[in-house]
mmCIF file of all heavy atoms in Angstrom:
data_model
loop_
_atom_site.group_PDB
_atom_site.id
_atom_site.type_symbol
_atom_site.label_atom_id
_atom_site.label_comp_id
_atom_site.label_asym_id
_atom_site.label_seq_id
_atom_site.Cartn_x
_atom_site.Cartn_y
_atom_site.Cartn_z
ATOM 1 N N GLY A 191 98.892 78.934 69.108
ATOM 2 C CA GLY A 191 98.447 79.457 67.833
ATOM 3 C C GLY A 191 97.140 80.245 67.881
ATOM 4 O O GLY A 191 96.566 80.448 69.007
ATOM 5 N N ASP A 192 96.714 80.793 66.784
ATOM 6 C CA ASP A 192 95.438 81.498 66.710
ATOM 7 C C ASP A 192 94.276 80.539 66.721
ATOM 8 O O ASP A 192 94.340 79.392 66.290
ATOM 9 C CB ASP A 192 95.298 82.243 65.360
ATOM 10 C CG ASP A 192 96.345 83.324 65.255
ATOM 11 O OD1 ASP A 192 96.777 83.838 66.267
ATOM 12 O OD2 ASP A 192 96.676 83.709 64.202
ATOM 13 N N LYS A 193 93.216 80.951 67.472
ATOM 14 C CA LYS A 193 92.044 80.039 67.672
ATOM 15 C C LYS A 193 90.710 80.876 67.358
ATOM 16 O O LYS A 193 90.698 82.138 67.649
ATOM 17 C CB LYS A 193 91.951 79.553 69.028
ATOM 18 C CG LYS A 193 93.155 78.792 69.496
ATOM 19 C CD LYS A 193 93.047 77.412 69.073
ATOM 20 C CE LYS A 193 94.180 76.532 69.691
ATOM 21 N NZ LYS A 193 94.520 75.325 68.912
ATOM 22 N N THR A 194 89.681 80.124 67.007
ATOM 23 C CA THR A 194 88.329 80.704 67.053
ATOM 24 C C THR A 194 87.637 80.288 68.364
ATOM 25 O O THR A 194 88.195 79.457 68.970
ATOM 26 C CB THR A 194 87.515 80.105 65.896
ATOM 27 O OG1 THR A 194 87.272 78.725 66.039
ATOM 28 C CG2 THR A 194 88.103 80.396 64.503
ATOM 29 N N LEU A 195 86.538 80.924 68.574
ATOM 30 C CA LEU A 195 85.835 80.619 69.866
ATOM 31 C C LEU A 195 85.493 79.083 69.858
ATOM 32 O O LEU A 195 85.627 78.443 70.809
ATOM 33 C CB LEU A 195 84.620 81.588 69.994
ATOM 34 C CG LEU A 195 83.800 81.288 71.184
ATOM 35 C CD1 LEU A 195 84.434 81.403 72.450
ATOM 36 C CD2 LEU A 195 82.638 82.286 71.124
ATOM 37 N N LEU A 196 85.024 78.621 68.698
ATOM 38 C CA LEU A 196 84.620 77.292 68.658
ATOM 39 C C LEU A 196 85.793 76.325 68.850
ATOM 40 O O LEU A 196 85.678 75.217 69.596
ATOM 41 C CB LEU A 196 83.979 76.936 67.288
ATOM 42 C CG LEU A 196 83.403 75.508 67.070
ATOM 43 C CD1 LEU A 196 82.373 75.203 68.105
ATOM 44 C CD2 LEU A 196 82.946 75.397 65.689
ATOM 45 N N GLU A 197 86.921 76.665 68.366
ATOM 46 C CA GLU A 197 88.164 75.809 68.518
ATOM 47 C C GLU A 197 88.525 75.735 70.012
ATOM 48 O O GLU A 197 88.932 74.658 70.506
ATOM 49 C CB GLU A 197 89.313 76.305 67.730
ATOM 50 C CG GLU A 197 89.152 76.050 66.218
ATOM 51 C CD GLU A 197 90.166 76.827 65.377
ATOM 52 O OE1 GLU A 197 90.698 77.880 65.824
ATOM 53 O OE2 GLU A 197 90.511 76.347 64.263
ATOM 54 N N VAL A 198 88.402 76.836 70.651
ATOM 55 C CA VAL A 198 88.655 76.830 72.195
ATOM 56 C C VAL A 198 87.751 76.042 72.901
ATOM 57 O O VAL A 198 88.105 75.229 73.812
ATOM 58 C CB VAL A 198 88.733 78.308 72.695
ATOM 59 C CG1 VAL A 198 88.702 78.398 74.169
ATOM 60 C CG2 VAL A 198 89.851 79.060 72.140
ATOM 61 N N LEU A 199 86.436 76.076 72.576
ATOM 62 C CA LEU A 199 85.402 75.293 73.261
ATOM 63 C C LEU A 199 85.666 73.801 73.089
ATOM 64 O O LEU A 199 85.575 73.018 73.931
ATOM 65 C CB LEU A 199 84.054 75.670 72.695
ATOM 66 C CG LEU A 199 83.619 77.085 73.119
ATOM 67 C CD1 LEU A 199 82.113 77.366 72.486
ATOM 68 C CD2 LEU A 199 83.462 77.169 74.586
ATOM 69 N N LYS A 200 86.058 73.421 71.773
ATOM 70 C CA LYS A 200 86.319 72.034 71.547
ATOM 71 C C LYS A 200 87.574 71.595 72.315
ATOM 72 O O LYS A 200 87.638 70.490 72.849
ATOM 73 C CB LYS A 200 86.598 71.867 69.996
ATOM 74 C CG LYS A 200 85.367 71.840 69.166
ATOM 75 C CD LYS A 200 85.669 71.686 67.727
ATOM 76 C CE LYS A 200 84.364 71.696 66.929
ATOM 77 N NZ LYS A 200 84.696 71.484 65.381
ATOM 78 N N GLU A 201 88.621 72.465 72.383
ATOM 79 C CA GLU A 201 89.905 72.087 73.123
ATOM 80 C C GLU A 201 89.616 71.966 74.557
ATOM 81 O O GLU A 201 90.221 71.114 75.181
ATOM 82 C CB GLU A 201 90.912 73.172 72.845
ATOM 83 C CG GLU A 201 92.362 72.671 72.979
ATOM 84 C CD GLU A 201 93.399 73.663 72.466
ATOM 85 O OE1 GLU A 201 93.218 73.980 71.200
ATOM 86 O OE2 GLU A 201 94.233 74.037 73.267
ATOM 87 N N LEU A 202 88.668 72.601 75.110
ATOM 88 C CA LEU A 202 88.256 72.553 76.557
ATOM 89 C C LEU A 202 87.146 71.570 76.865
ATOM 90 O O LEU A 202 86.752 71.376 77.939
ATOM 91 C CB LEU A 202 87.851 73.889 77.037
ATOM 92 C CG LEU A 202 88.884 74.994 77.100
ATOM 93 C CD1 LEU A 202 88.206 76.398 77.429
ATOM 94 C CD2 LEU A 202 90.057 74.690 77.961
ATOM 95 N N SER A 203 86.805 70.794 75.720
ATOM 96 C CA SER A 203 85.696 69.789 75.838
ATOM 97 C C SER A 203 84.402 70.392 76.336
ATOM 98 O O SER A 203 83.685 69.797 77.055
ATOM 99 C CB SER A 203 86.176 68.659 76.710
ATOM 100 O OG SER A 203 87.313 68.004 76.299
ATOM 101 N N LEU A 204 84.104 71.611 75.912
ATOM 102 C CA LEU A 204 82.942 72.346 76.301
ATOM 103 C C LEU A 204 81.893 72.518 75.183
ATOM 104 O O LEU A 204 80.828 72.997 75.374
ATOM 105 C CB LEU A 204 83.316 73.663 76.843
ATOM 106 C CG LEU A 204 84.106 73.758 78.148
ATOM 107 C CD1 LEU A 204 84.446 75.160 78.546
ATOM 108 C CD2 LEU A 204 83.225 73.074 79.272
ATOM 109 N N GLU A 205 82.300 72.012 73.946
ATOM 110 C CA GLU A 205 81.366 72.165 72.840
ATOM 111 C C GLU A 205 80.066 71.312 73.247
ATOM 112 O O GLU A 205 80.159 70.254 73.672
ATOM 113 C CB GLU A 205 81.984 71.549 71.603
ATOM 114 C CG GLU A 205 81.134 71.797 70.367
ATOM 115 C CD GLU A 205 81.657 71.050 69.187
ATOM 116 O OE1 GLU A 205 82.546 70.215 69.357
ATOM 117 O OE2 GLU A 205 81.249 71.400 68.101
ATOM 118 N N GLY A 206 78.944 71.985 72.966
ATOM 119 C CA GLY A 206 77.714 71.240 73.383
ATOM 120 C C GLY A 206 77.215 71.595 74.823
ATOM 121 O O GLY A 206 76.046 71.373 75.168
ATOM 122 N N LYS A 207 78.132 72.021 75.714
ATOM 123 C CA LYS A 207 77.769 72.309 77.005
ATOM 124 C C LYS A 207 77.554 73.860 77.278
ATOM 125 O O LYS A 207 76.856 74.215 78.168
ATOM 126 C CB LYS A 207 78.919 71.848 78.001
ATOM 127 C CG LYS A 207 79.120 70.488 77.926
ATOM 128 C CD LYS A 207 80.235 69.996 78.898
ATOM 129 C CE LYS A 207 80.425 68.476 78.739
ATOM 130 N NZ LYS A 207 81.572 68.007 79.511
ATOM 131 N N VAL A 208 78.198 74.672 76.415
ATOM 132 C CA VAL A 208 78.132 76.160 76.609
ATOM 133 C C VAL A 208 76.912 76.662 75.873
ATOM 134 O O VAL A 208 76.723 76.226 74.686
ATOM 135 C CB VAL A 208 79.345 76.883 76.089
ATOM 136 C CG1 VAL A 208 79.193 78.429 76.029
ATOM 137 C CG2 VAL A 208 80.559 76.382 77.015
ATOM 138 N N MET A 209 76.065 77.430 76.436
ATOM 139 C CA MET A 209 74.839 77.875 75.856
ATOM 140 C C MET A 209 75.026 79.365 75.383
ATOM 141 O O MET A 209 74.346 79.711 74.448
ATOM 142 C CB MET A 209 73.649 77.894 76.815
ATOM 143 C CG MET A 209 73.454 76.398 77.369
ATOM 144 S SD MET A 209 73.033 75.216 75.881
ATOM 145 C CE MET A 209 71.548 75.805 75.419
ATOM 146 N N ALA A 210 75.892 80.121 76.059
ATOM 147 C CA ALA A 210 76.084 81.504 75.713
ATOM 148 C C ALA A 210 77.598 81.853 75.917
ATOM 149 O O ALA A 210 78.161 81.300 76.883
ATOM 150 C CB ALA A 210 75.205 82.454 76.564
ATOM 151 N N ALA A 211 78.041 82.722 74.998
ATOM 152 C CA ALA A 211 79.399 83.133 75.116
ATOM 153 C C ALA A 211 79.543 84.609 74.783
ATOM 154 O O ALA A 211 78.886 85.218 74.044
ATOM 155 C CB ALA A 211 80.279 82.312 74.153
ATOM 156 N N ALA A 212 80.497 85.212 75.584
ATOM 157 C CA ALA A 212 80.856 86.663 75.418
ATOM 158 C C ALA A 212 82.340 86.779 75.239
ATOM 159 O O ALA A 212 83.014 86.154 76.034
ATOM 160 C CB ALA A 212 80.239 87.462 76.502
ATOM 161 N N VAL A 213 82.752 87.560 74.360
ATOM 162 C CA VAL A 213 84.264 87.924 74.144
ATOM 163 C C VAL A 213 84.303 89.343 74.477
ATOM 164 O O VAL A 213 83.754 90.190 73.799
ATOM 165 C CB VAL A 213 84.691 87.533 72.796
ATOM 166 C CG1 VAL A 213 86.171 88.050 72.659
ATOM 167 C CG2 VAL A 213 84.502 86.027 72.596
ATOM 168 N N ASN A 214 85.108 89.695 75.504
ATOM 169 C CA ASN A 214 85.359 91.025 75.894
ATOM 170 C C ASN A 214 83.925 91.861 76.089
ATOM 171 O O ASN A 214 83.824 92.929 75.633
ATOM 172 C CB ASN A 214 86.211 91.805 74.876
ATOM 173 C CG ASN A 214 87.497 91.173 74.841
ATOM 174 O OD1 ASN A 214 88.114 90.794 75.779
ATOM 175 N ND2 ASN A 214 88.108 91.077 73.595
ATOM 176 N N MET A 215 83.065 91.162 76.836
ATOM 177 C CA MET A 215 81.788 91.699 77.158
ATOM 178 C C MET A 215 80.789 91.809 76.002
ATOM 179 O O MET A 215 79.783 92.403 76.103
ATOM 180 C CB MET A 215 81.877 92.966 77.935
ATOM 181 C CG MET A 215 82.758 92.926 79.135
ATOM 182 S SD MET A 215 82.122 91.763 80.409
ATOM 183 C CE MET A 215 80.665 92.723 81.006
ATOM 184 N N GLU A 216 81.135 91.270 74.761
ATOM 185 C CA GLU A 216 80.252 91.353 73.638
ATOM 186 C C GLU A 216 79.729 89.893 73.373
ATOM 187 O O GLU A 216 80.548 88.972 73.205
ATOM 188 C CB GLU A 216 81.077 91.722 72.391
ATOM 189 C CG GLU A 216 81.624 93.199 72.519
ATOM 190 C CD GLU A 216 80.560 94.159 71.951
ATOM 191 O OE1 GLU A 216 79.698 93.911 71.146
ATOM 192 O OE2 GLU A 216 80.784 95.350 72.434
ATOM 193 N N ILE A 217 78.419 89.719 73.341
ATOM 194 C CA ILE A 217 77.741 88.472 73.152
ATOM 195 C C ILE A 217 78.076 88.029 71.709
ATOM 196 O O ILE A 217 78.036 88.764 70.786
ATOM 197 C CB ILE A 217 76.220 88.554 73.276
ATOM 198 C CG1 ILE A 217 75.878 88.893 74.747
ATOM 199 C CG2 ILE A 217 75.618 87.225 72.922
ATOM 200 C CD1 ILE A 217 76.216 87.882 75.781
ATOM 201 N N VAL A 218 78.489 86.678 71.643
ATOM 202 C CA VAL A 218 78.724 86.101 70.263
ATOM 203 C C VAL A 218 77.707 85.065 70.072
ATOM 204 O O VAL A 218 77.642 84.077 70.904
ATOM 205 C CB VAL A 218 80.112 85.466 70.266
ATOM 206 C CG1 VAL A 218 80.416 84.891 68.843
ATOM 207 C CG2 VAL A 218 81.281 86.563 70.588
ATOM 208 N N LYS A 219 76.917 85.238 68.992
ATOM 209 C CA LYS A 219 75.806 84.212 68.732
ATOM 210 C C LYS A 219 76.485 82.873 68.347
ATOM 211 O O LYS A 219 77.587 82.839 67.806
ATOM 212 C CB LYS A 219 75.014 84.688 67.564
ATOM 213 C CG LYS A 219 74.156 85.959 68.019
ATOM 214 C CD LYS A 219 73.221 86.336 66.940
ATOM 215 C CE LYS A 219 72.382 87.486 67.480
ATOM 216 N NZ LYS A 219 71.272 87.871 66.555
ATOM 217 N N GLN A 220 75.775 81.811 68.695
ATOM 218 C CA GLN A 220 76.327 80.465 68.516
ATOM 219 C C GLN A 220 76.698 80.207 67.075
ATOM 220 O O GLN A 220 77.714 79.550 66.763
ATOM 221 C CB GLN A 220 75.350 79.341 68.908
ATOM 222 C CG GLN A 220 75.759 78.628 70.079
ATOM 223 C CD GLN A 220 74.797 77.673 70.625
ATOM 224 O OE1 GLN A 220 73.559 77.751 70.413
ATOM 225 N NE2 GLN A 220 75.200 76.617 71.244
ATOM 226 N N ASP A 221 75.952 80.678 66.065
ATOM 227 C CA ASP A 221 76.210 80.402 64.678
ATOM 228 C C ASP A 221 77.464 81.252 64.191
ATOM 229 O O ASP A 221 77.852 80.993 63.029
ATOM 230 C CB ASP A 221 75.033 80.713 63.812
ATOM 231 C CG ASP A 221 74.593 82.172 63.850
ATOM 232 O OD1 ASP A 221 75.133 82.964 64.607
ATOM 233 O OD2 ASP A 221 73.643 82.436 63.044
ATOM 234 N N ALA A 222 78.078 82.079 65.094
ATOM 235 C CA ALA A 222 79.250 82.840 64.701
ATOM 236 C C ALA A 222 80.512 82.343 65.479
ATOM 237 O O ALA A 222 81.539 82.931 65.225
ATOM 238 C CB ALA A 222 79.052 84.278 64.922
ATOM 239 N N TRP A 223 80.351 81.298 66.314
ATOM 240 C CA TRP A 223 81.493 80.835 67.126
ATOM 241 C C TRP A 223 82.662 80.405 66.212
ATOM 242 O O TRP A 223 83.761 80.574 66.501
ATOM 243 C CB TRP A 223 81.094 79.770 67.967
ATOM 244 C CG TRP A 223 80.238 80.193 69.146
ATOM 245 C CD1 TRP A 223 79.839 81.500 69.494
ATOM 246 C CD2 TRP A 223 79.576 79.426 70.173
ATOM 247 N NE1 TRP A 223 79.057 81.540 70.582
ATOM 248 C CE2 TRP A 223 78.896 80.292 71.076
ATOM 249 C CE3 TRP A 223 79.636 78.025 70.416
ATOM 250 C CZ2 TRP A 223 78.167 79.789 72.115
ATOM 251 C CZ3 TRP A 223 78.919 77.524 71.556
ATOM 252 C CH2 TRP A 223 78.195 78.430 72.316
ATOM 253 N N ASP A 224 82.400 79.778 65.046
ATOM 254 C CA ASP A 224 83.449 79.316 64.186
ATOM 255 C C ASP A 224 84.051 80.426 63.359
ATOM 256 O O ASP A 224 85.241 80.214 62.834
ATOM 257 C CB ASP A 224 82.953 78.242 63.257
ATOM 258 C CG ASP A 224 81.793 78.682 62.279
ATOM 259 O OD1 ASP A 224 81.175 79.716 62.660
ATOM 260 O OD2 ASP A 224 81.703 78.140 61.209
ATOM 261 N N LYS A 225 83.539 81.601 63.357
ATOM 262 C CA LYS A 225 84.083 82.820 62.692
ATOM 263 C C LYS A 225 84.703 83.739 63.659
ATOM 264 O O LYS A 225 85.370 84.678 63.212
ATOM 265 C CB LYS A 225 82.929 83.369 61.843
ATOM 266 C CG LYS A 225 82.372 82.600 60.819
ATOM 267 C CD LYS A 225 81.214 83.237 60.253
ATOM 268 C CE LYS A 225 80.229 82.303 59.484
ATOM 269 N NZ LYS A 225 79.400 81.487 60.449
ATOM 270 N N CYS A 226 84.501 83.648 64.900
ATOM 271 C CA CYS A 226 84.997 84.636 65.968
ATOM 272 C C CYS A 226 86.431 84.275 66.293
ATOM 273 O O CYS A 226 86.667 83.395 67.066
ATOM 274 C CB CYS A 226 84.124 84.567 67.246
ATOM 275 S SG CYS A 226 84.646 85.605 68.529
ATOM 276 N N ARG A 227 87.311 85.005 65.707
ATOM 277 C CA ARG A 227 88.794 84.925 66.011
ATOM 278 C C ARG A 227 89.160 85.584 67.259
ATOM 279 O O ARG A 227 88.740 86.745 67.493
ATOM 280 C CB ARG A 227 89.637 85.523 64.810
ATOM 281 C CG ARG A 227 89.506 84.763 63.590
ATOM 282 C CD ARG A 227 90.904 84.198 63.246
ATOM 283 N NE ARG A 227 90.736 83.123 62.275
ATOM 284 C CZ ARG A 227 90.953 81.861 62.490
ATOM 285 N NH1 ARG A 227 91.401 81.507 63.656
ATOM 286 N NH2 ARG A 227 90.831 80.916 61.648
ATOM 287 N N LEU A 228 89.898 84.863 68.075
ATOM 288 C CA LEU A 228 90.306 85.360 69.467
ATOM 289 C C LEU A 228 91.696 85.977 69.313
ATOM 290 O O LEU A 228 92.515 85.594 68.515
ATOM 291 C CB LEU A 228 90.213 84.213 70.400
ATOM 292 C CG LEU A 228 88.888 83.659 70.600
ATOM 293 C CD1 LEU A 228 88.888 82.415 71.542
ATOM 294 C CD2 LEU A 228 87.893 84.553 71.128
ATOM 295 N N ASN A 229 92.007 86.899 70.192
ATOM 296 C CA ASN A 229 93.208 87.571 70.246
ATOM 297 C C ASN A 229 93.831 87.390 71.618
ATOM 298 O O ASN A 229 93.217 87.258 72.605
ATOM 299 C CB ASN A 229 93.119 89.029 69.948
ATOM 300 C CG ASN A 229 92.537 89.383 68.583
ATOM 301 O OD1 ASN A 229 93.167 88.955 67.603
ATOM 302 N ND2 ASN A 229 91.408 89.983 68.592
ATOM 303 N N ASP A 230 95.128 87.450 71.708
ATOM 304 C CA ASP A 230 95.893 87.303 72.996
ATOM 305 C C ASP A 230 95.331 88.316 73.993
ATOM 306 O O ASP A 230 95.032 89.502 73.674
ATOM 307 C CB ASP A 230 97.374 87.619 72.810
ATOM 308 C CG ASP A 230 98.235 87.259 73.929
ATOM 309 O OD1 ASP A 230 98.028 86.153 74.523
ATOM 310 O OD2 ASP A 230 98.968 88.149 74.485
ATOM 311 N N GLY A 231 94.886 87.820 75.188
ATOM 312 C CA GLY A 231 94.401 88.754 76.272
ATOM 313 C C GLY A 231 92.930 88.860 76.236
ATOM 314 O O GLY A 231 92.442 89.552 77.132
ATOM 315 N N ASP A 232 92.201 88.280 75.264
ATOM 316 C CA ASP A 232 90.726 88.354 75.226
ATOM 317 C C ASP A 232 90.177 87.706 76.495
ATOM 318 O O ASP A 232 90.661 86.755 77.059
ATOM 319 C CB ASP A 232 90.148 87.600 74.092
ATOM 320 C CG ASP A 232 90.252 88.447 72.746
ATOM 321 O OD1 ASP A 232 90.520 89.650 72.919
ATOM 322 O OD2 ASP A 232 89.954 87.942 71.694
ATOM 323 N N LYS A 233 89.041 88.315 76.952
ATOM 324 C CA LYS A 233 88.256 87.775 78.151
ATOM 325 C C LYS A 233 86.988 87.113 77.670
ATOM 326 O O LYS A 233 86.196 87.719 76.984
ATOM 327 C CB LYS A 233 87.947 88.933 79.101
ATOM 328 C CG LYS A 233 89.217 89.582 79.684
ATOM 329 C CD LYS A 233 88.946 90.621 80.716
ATOM 330 C CE LYS A 233 90.238 91.217 81.164
ATOM 331 N NZ LYS A 233 90.013 92.363 82.049
ATOM 332 N N LEU A 234 86.946 85.804 77.970
ATOM 333 C CA LEU A 234 85.726 85.051 77.560
ATOM 334 C C LEU A 234 84.884 84.800 78.745
ATOM 335 O O LEU A 234 85.476 84.489 79.830
ATOM 336 C CB LEU A 234 86.163 83.709 76.963
ATOM 337 C CG LEU A 234 86.612 83.660 75.438
ATOM 338 C CD1 LEU A 234 87.839 84.541 75.281
ATOM 339 C CD2 LEU A 234 86.876 82.298 75.033
#
């Protein structure tokens, strides 16, 4: 299914461990992880 960045981090048990995240070479601020919708083929 569709996921947000935060949902992926939770599923991988990485929530609280990751300090910085980029999606397709674009930095995503921590307070936007729950709003950042991911697409098939995205590079994190």
